[in-house]
Short mmCIF file of all heavy atoms in Angstrom, two decimals:
data_model
loop_
_atom_site.label_atom_id
_atom_site.label_comp_id
_atom_site.label_asym_id
_atom_site.label_seq_id
_atom_site.Cartn_x
_atom_site.Cartn_y
_atom_site.Cartn_z
N VAL L 107 -26.57 92.63 27.00
CA VAL L 107 -26.40 91.96 28.29
C VAL L 107 -27.37 92.37 29.26
O VAL L 107 -27.50 93.54 29.49
CB VAL L 107 -24.89 92.03 28.79
CG1 VAL L 107 -24.75 91.24 30.00
CG2 VAL L 107 -23.85 91.68 27.74
N GLU L 108 -27.98 91.44 29.96
CA GLU L 108 -28.95 91.59 31.07
C GLU L 108 -28.64 90.71 32.29
O GLU L 108 -28.42 89.55 32.03
CB GLU L 108 -30.37 91.43 30.63
CG GLU L 108 -31.33 91.91 31.75
CD GLU L 108 -32.84 91.69 31.26
OE1 GLU L 108 -33.12 91.24 30.15
OE2 GLU L 108 -33.60 91.92 32.10
N ASN L 109 -28.37 91.43 33.34
CA ASN L 109 -28.10 90.59 34.65
C ASN L 109 -29.45 90.13 35.20
O ASN L 109 -30.10 90.93 35.91
CB ASN L 109 -27.29 91.50 35.56
CG ASN L 109 -26.90 90.67 36.75
OD1 ASN L 109 -27.35 89.61 36.95
ND2 ASN L 109 -26.29 91.32 37.78
N THR L 110 -29.79 88.97 34.85
CA THR L 110 -31.02 88.27 35.31
C THR L 110 -30.74 87.48 36.64
O THR L 110 -31.62 86.77 37.05
CB THR L 110 -31.62 87.51 34.29
OG1 THR L 110 -30.65 86.57 33.73
CG2 THR L 110 -32.14 88.37 33.09
N TYR L 115 -22.83 91.34 38.17
CA TYR L 115 -22.26 90.46 36.99
C TYR L 115 -21.60 91.36 35.98
O TYR L 115 -21.85 92.58 35.85
CB TYR L 115 -23.49 89.76 36.38
CG TYR L 115 -23.05 88.98 35.28
CD1 TYR L 115 -22.46 87.65 35.54
CD2 TYR L 115 -23.32 89.17 33.94
CE1 TYR L 115 -22.18 86.69 34.48
CE2 TYR L 115 -22.99 88.30 32.84
CZ TYR L 115 -22.42 87.11 33.24
OH TYR L 115 -22.12 86.29 32.25
N ASP L 137 -19.37 97.06 32.17
CA ASP L 137 -19.09 97.50 33.52
C ASP L 137 -19.78 96.47 34.50
O ASP L 137 -20.59 95.66 33.92
CB ASP L 137 -19.61 98.95 33.78
CG ASP L 137 -18.87 100.00 32.97
OD1 ASP L 137 -17.71 99.83 32.75
OD2 ASP L 137 -19.53 100.94 32.63
N ARG L 138 -19.58 96.72 35.73
CA ARG L 138 -20.20 95.83 36.74
C ARG L 138 -21.78 96.16 36.64
O ARG L 138 -22.11 97.29 36.97
CB ARG L 138 -19.50 96.05 38.11
CG ARG L 138 -20.13 95.21 39.15
CD ARG L 138 -19.25 95.54 40.46
NE ARG L 138 -19.81 94.74 41.45
CZ ARG L 138 -19.15 94.50 42.62
NH1 ARG L 138 -18.03 94.97 42.71
NH2 ARG L 138 -19.88 93.80 43.62
N LEU L 139 -22.55 95.20 36.37
CA LEU L 139 -23.99 95.33 36.30
C LEU L 139 -24.65 94.91 37.63
O LEU L 139 -24.43 93.66 37.90
CB LEU L 139 -24.53 94.62 35.16
CG LEU L 139 -24.00 94.89 33.68
CD1 LEU L 139 -24.58 93.95 32.65
CD2 LEU L 139 -24.26 96.40 33.44
N GLY L 140 -25.41 95.68 38.16
CA GLY L 140 -26.21 95.26 39.31
C GLY L 140 -27.29 94.33 38.99
O GLY L 140 -27.60 94.23 37.72
N VAL L 141 -28.11 93.78 39.88
CA VAL L 141 -29.19 92.79 39.60
C VAL L 141 -30.25 93.63 38.82
O VAL L 141 -30.64 94.74 39.25
CB VAL L 141 -29.67 92.36 40.85
CG1 VAL L 141 -30.98 91.48 40.59
CG2 VAL L 141 -28.67 91.40 41.59
N GLY L 142 -30.66 93.09 37.58
CA GLY L 142 -31.71 93.74 36.86
C GLY L 142 -31.19 94.78 35.81
O GLY L 142 -31.91 95.20 35.06
N GLU L 143 -29.87 95.07 35.98
CA GLU L 143 -29.32 96.13 35.04
C GLU L 143 -28.95 95.42 33.65
O GLU L 143 -28.72 94.18 33.62
CB GLU L 143 -28.16 96.74 35.62
CG GLU L 143 -28.34 97.70 36.75
CD GLU L 143 -27.10 98.32 37.31
OE1 GLU L 143 -26.12 98.00 37.08
OE2 GLU L 143 -27.30 99.45 38.08
N SER L 144 -28.84 96.32 32.61
CA SER L 144 -28.47 95.77 31.35
C SER L 144 -27.56 96.83 30.66
O SER L 144 -27.40 97.99 31.14
CB SER L 144 -29.69 95.60 30.41
OG SER L 144 -30.41 96.82 30.17
N ALA L 145 -26.76 96.30 29.69
CA ALA L 145 -25.82 97.20 28.86
C ALA L 145 -25.67 96.52 27.55
O ALA L 145 -26.04 95.36 27.26
CB ALA L 145 -24.45 97.00 29.60
#
Side-chain angles (χ1 to χ4, degrees):
V107 182
E108 183 179 359
N109 183 0
T110 55
Y115 182 75
D137 292 328
R138 183 175 174 160
L139 301 175
V141 175
E143 291 183 339
S144 60

